[in-house]
């Protein structure tokens, strides 16, 4: 997909309290003697109580950009710019300090829970471990909190599932477990990186509804990284459109999907020709 680049993004976002302020974020990798610019001056603000979609085709840099915020890129990555979470600058943060921020302040739910969960540990043990890593509670209290989290994400028969292993759960159930683990330390920001891609439509819808409900229950501000325009239309308040590592457009979901300003955004929308007709926006 080729597109004429514009030097600056079209931004239509109302003023609100900023939770995360990303400015001129860059990520480069050195491969075979050449430099690859995966993220090239990306800037956006995440506002409290809103779900922001970061969208773009595969290879656009959207997932790399959020992994940079979490300190989850390989040593070959070079990260520049600024990403302020409250008073904390994430870019350049030492690993021991990042471990504190990761989970306490910002957490991520990944695309494939089967690869992220430990197959040799029960679901409850993995959540309990995450709780005890971040807070000084005894095992009994941690176990009780883990069951509470499983109920919060609406995992059926939470007390029984607590003692089961990941292979005994469906894909949607495993994803709920991953959300529970991410919430174990009450983070300010929850990032879902293609978290519903591998799920069927009904389960995908249920997971999105759970993520949406978290803001009211736990005061969590959310980022949804996706290439699926139907997910954006049904779940998100604001949209940041990324092309070739750059932000090309940002605004409310309604404005962006109904009246896109950038040709790349129009191209993405046209790749899902029916979702606007189906009344998703």
């Amino acid at each position: 997909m080729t597109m004429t680049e514009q030097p600056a993004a079209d931004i239509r976002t109302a003023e609100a309290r900023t939770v995360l302020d990303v400015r001129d974020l860059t990520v480069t990798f050195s491969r075979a003697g050449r430099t690859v610019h995966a993220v090239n001056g990306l800037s956006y603000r995440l506002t409290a109580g809103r779900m922001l979609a970061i969208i773009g085709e595969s290879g656009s840099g959207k997932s790399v950009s959020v992994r940079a915020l979490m300190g989850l890129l390989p040593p070959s990555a070079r990260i520049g710019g600024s990403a302020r979470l409250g008073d904390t600058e994430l870019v350049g943060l030492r690993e021991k300090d990042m471990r504190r921020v990761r989970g306490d302040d910002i957490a991520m739910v990944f695309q494939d829970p089967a690869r992220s969960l430990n197959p040799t540990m029960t679901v409850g043990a993995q959540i309990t471990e995450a709780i005890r890593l971040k807070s000084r509670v005894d095992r009994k209290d941690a176990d009780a909190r883990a069951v509470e989290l499983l109920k919060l994400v609406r995992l059926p028969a939470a007390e029984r599932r607590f003692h089961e292993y990941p292979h005994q759960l469906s894909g949607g159930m495993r994803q709920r477990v991953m959300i529970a683990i991410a919430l174990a330390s009450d983070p300010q920001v929850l990032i879902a990186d293609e978290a519903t891609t591998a799920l069927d439509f009904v389960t995908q819808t249920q997971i999105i509804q759970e993520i949406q409900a978290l803001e009211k229950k736990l005061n969590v501000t959310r980022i949804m990284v996706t290439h699926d325009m139907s997910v954006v239309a049904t779940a998100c308040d604001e949209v940041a459109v990324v092309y070739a590592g750059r932000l090309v457009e940002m605004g409310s979901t309604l404005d962006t999907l109904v009246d896109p300003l950038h040709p790349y955004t129009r191209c993405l929308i046209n790749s899902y020709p029916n979702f606007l007709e189906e009344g998703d926006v």
Side-chain angles (χ1 to χ4, degrees), residues 145-254:
R145 175 59 177 159
V147 173
E148 287 179 5
L149 288 170
L150 290 176
K151 291 179 178 179
L152 179 69
V153 298
R154 298 185 185 180
L155 184 71
E159 289 88 350
R160 175 163 59 87
R161 301 298 183 189
F162 178 90
H163 299 285
E164 294 183 344
Y165 290 85
H167 74 270
Q168 296 176 276
L169 277 58
S170 68
M173 289 179 180
R174 288 194 291 266
Q175 197 60 281
R176 283 181 166 85
V177 172
M178 288 302 302
I179 296 172
I181 291 173
L183 296 174
S185 299
D186 298 321
Q188 298 179 53
V189 176
L190 179 68
I191 302 173
D193 186 10
E194 300 282 8
T196 62
T197 299
L199 305 175
D200 63 79
F201 177 78
V202 173
T203 305
Q204 179 187 74
T205 301
Q206 292 172 345
I207 295 296
I208 290 171
Q209 289 173 344
E210 294 307 320
I211 294 174
Q212 284 179 291
L214 291 175
E215 194 279 325
K216 293 180 179 179
K217 295 177 182 176
L218 300 177
N219 196 31
V220 178
T221 301
R222 302 132 300 155
I223 296 176
M224 177 75 74
V225 179
T226 185
H227 64 274
D228 190 334
M229 298 300 292
S230 62
V231 170
V232 176
T234 56
C236 300
D237 303 299
E238 298 172 327
V239 183
V241 185
V242 178
Y243 171 66
R246 297 178 182 273
L247 180 73
V248 296
E249 183 166 355
M250 183 169 180
S252 72
T253 299
L254 183 61

Side-chain angles (χ1 to χ4, degrees), residues 25 27 60 67 72 74 95 102 133 160 169 180 184 194 209 219 224 229 258 273 279:
L25 183 68
V27 180
S60 63
R67 287 172 184 259
L72 295 177
E95 177 55 28
R102 196 164 48 223
L133 279 173
R160 175 163 59 87
L169 277 58
E194 300 282 8
Q209 289 173 344
N219 196 31
M224 177 75 74
M229 298 300 292
V258 172

